[in-house]
DNA sequence: GAAATACATGAACAGTTGTTCATACGTTGA
DNA sequence: TCAACGTATGAACAACTGTTCATGTATTTC
């Protein structure tokens, strides 16, 4: 579910002060987005795909997790539109959905290593 | 620190900017950082403080939560160094720790509203 | 077609998380 | 000092999350 509040535009952003308080639903979506990044397995998957598209089995081997666990987490990453996949024979080749994901990861890492 | 994967089999660093697979511990820290942003109450608190330092009671009233719940979450935000506080009489005035927090929130919101 | 491969999915379980309730702590003003 | 206020904290509980195990589905090869 990726519902975006369509009927709520708060004040104009663009200052050291953002709008006061975004719509409740938007805040839920924001929390949900961060939640996807908040698990180690999913972070590992994202980093495994950082610059290399991989099959599910490849991911599992790379990060040292079972195929099932990876598949479960890929479902969540897919729902959040953080990864996408193409078919190659019987394999599904996953990759990061767009550069936004790179940015989010880099931003977080940047904060950690300040 | 700048720890790169220790026991990685193969690596193909081609993307400008980031290593292939960071150290396990760093990935845990990264997941933990995102985890702090992954709760609605904490997101509300951060937005309540986005451009206005506030006391605990003020925060609670602003976001519509109990004082206790807010205090519990502030402890987590403090531990993550996302907020700081100054004393004013018997009140504790909380504010965002630094601009990194603004950036993280904005980045996430940016992704949501793409 | 059947077997094999690659992946997805459901149920169940343990571990974690956030809230409420009650209470303790610390500061202020009389 | 004491009472009142603002905040922190611990325990308990319900809700959620991620893993494993078993099985199902889809695609390819024989």
């Amino acid at each position: 579910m990726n519902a975006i509040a369509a009927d709520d535009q708060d004040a104009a952003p663009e200052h050291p002060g953002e709008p006061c308080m975004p719509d409740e639903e938007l805040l839920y979506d924001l929390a949900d987005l961060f939640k996807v990044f908040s698990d180690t397995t999913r972070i590992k998957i994202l980093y495994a795909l950082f610059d290399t598209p991989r099959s599910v089995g490849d991911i599992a081997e790379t990060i040292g997790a079972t195929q099932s666990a990876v598949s479960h987490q890929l479902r969540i990453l897919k729902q959040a539109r953080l990864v996408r996949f193409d078919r190659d024979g019987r394999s599904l080749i996953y990759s990061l959905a767009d550069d936004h994901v790179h940015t989010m990861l880099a931003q977080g890492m940047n904060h950690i290593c300040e």
Side-chain angles (χ1 to χ4, degrees), chain A residues 37-57:
Chain A
F37 286 92
S38 73
D39 175 68
T40 310
T41 300
R42 288 192 291 269
I43 289 280
K44 286 182 184 173
I45 292 176
L46 293 177
Y47 262 102
L49 301 178
F50 201 93
D51 52 7
T52 311
R54 293 180 194 269
S55 69
V56 178

Side-chain angles (χ1 to χ4, degrees), chain A residues 10-23:
Chain A
D10 283 76
E14 222 61 44
H15 248 80
E18 185 101 345
C20 337
M21 184 66 77
D23 185 44

Side-chain angles (χ1 to χ4, degrees), chain A residues 2-114:
Chain A
N2 222 353
I4 301 178
D7 56 337
D8 187 287
Q9 280 284 55
D10 283 76
E14 222 61 44
H15 248 80
E18 185 101 345
C20 337
M21 184 66 77
D23 185 44
E24 177 107 6
E25 194 177 325
L26 200 55
L27 293 181
Y28 265 86
D29 291 341
L30 186 55
D32 280 341
L33 174 66
F34 284 119
K35 197 172 298 179
V36 180
F37 286 92
S38 73
D39 175 68
T40 310
T41 300
R42 288 192 291 269
I43 289 280
K44 286 182 184 173
I45 292 176
L46 293 177
Y47 262 102
L49 301 178
F50 201 93
D51 52 7
T52 311
R54 293 180 194 269
S55 69
V56 178
D58 190 0
I59 296 173
E61 192 182 0
T62 300
I63 73 174
T66 67
Q67 176 267 316
S68 179
V70 169
S71 191
H72 276 296
Q73 299 311 326
L74 280 173
R75 191 168 65 87
I76 296 175
L77 291 169
K78 248 184 302 181
Q79 281 173 182
R81 301 174 191 280
L82 264 42
V83 302
R84 55 181 232 91
F85 67 94
D86 292 304
R87 174 144 244 143
D88 175 32
R90 358 181 194 209
S91 295
L92 299 182
I93 307 299
Y94 280 81
S95 53
L96 298 192
D98 55 47
D99 258 6
H100 245 111
V101 184
H102 296 87
T103 308
M104 289 280 290
L105 289 174
Q107 189 66 40
M109 198 58 94
N110 190 15
H111 182 87
I112 297 279
C113 303
E114 63 184 353

